[in-house]
Amino acid sequence: MAEYGVWLLAAGLVVLVLAAVAIRFLWLLRQQTQRQNNERAEYERGAAEQGLEARQGISILARSYVGGQLGASELALRVAVLAETAQVDAAFAEDTAVFTKMAAALAHIPTHRDWKALSSEQRATYSAEMALLEASYSDKIHAAAAHLCTLR
């Protein structure tokens, strides 16, 4: 009988140790889940903030274009970058689609330092191409920019 009690005591200790290990793993899992939820919430706050900043920037660019301070090509390139890098909602992405399309059509044209390195003939060729693109997108760009000016 005493031998039976020792086995019972040993089994009880094993159960207690396993229960302690299980409780420890549950506690670690809860901490990890909490950490992941906090990181996800922080990411979503950052994405929302970035989206708001992008919408504000796009609105400023649109007002600059409508006010004649910015050309259609530069507007399209800048808006496309802001719309693609920031997480904007689907409706806003739809409003900026024309800029993204025009920017894609302009993608092969050098910018900044590369533009300065071009010969005057090459610049003239690209300028003519940009003028054609601006003319073909003019109505859509102007309508989209005017609409974006009204959004906050």
Side-chain angles (χ1 to χ4, degrees):
M1 270 299 179
E3 192 175 298
Y4 180 70
V6 170
W7 282 109
L8 192 57
L9 182 63
L13 285 174
V14 167
V15 168
L16 282 175
V17 168
L18 289 175
V21 168
I23 289 170
R24 170 82 172 144
F25 282 137
L26 285 173
W27 182 73
L28 290 172
L29 180 62
R30 183 171 181 254
Q31 278 189 324
Q32 182 182 11
T33 303
Q34 236 176 0
R35 192 170 39 253
Q36 287 174 339
N37 288 342
N38 291 342
E39 288 172 359
R40 183 179 303 116
E42 186 175 326
Y43 172 78
E44 288 172 358
R45 275 191 304 274
E49 186 176 304
Q50 185 182 29
L52 176 62
E53 289 173 0
R55 286 189 295 276
Q56 290 170 343
I58 289 169
S59 181
I60 290 168
L61 289 168
R63 285 193 304 272
S64 297
Y65 171 74
V66 170
Q69 300 163 334
L70 191 64
S73 293
E74 188 171 354
L75 172 70
L77 292 170
R78 289 182 181 208
V79 169
V81 168
L82 282 174
E84 288 176 13
T85 58
Q87 291 185 347
V88 294
D89 56 37
F92 204 80
E94 188 176 310
D95 290 334
T96 60
V98 67
F99 302 106
T100 304
K101 287 177 188 174
M102 185 171 170
L106 292 167
H108 68 285
I109 297 175
T111 59
H112 305 295
R113 281 186 295 188
D114 295 337
W115 179 264
K116 291 177 183 177
L118 294 175
S119 70
S120 59
E121 294 165 348
Q122 290 171 316
R123 283 190 216 167
T125 301
Y126 283 129
S127 292
E129 186 177 346
M130 287 169 38
L132 286 173
L133 280 170
E134 288 178 6
S136 69
Y137 280 94
S138 178
D139 292 340
K140 290 179 182 178
I141 290 282
H142 192 73
H147 177 69
L148 289 171
C149 287
T150 65
L151 301 180
R152 296 281 174 213

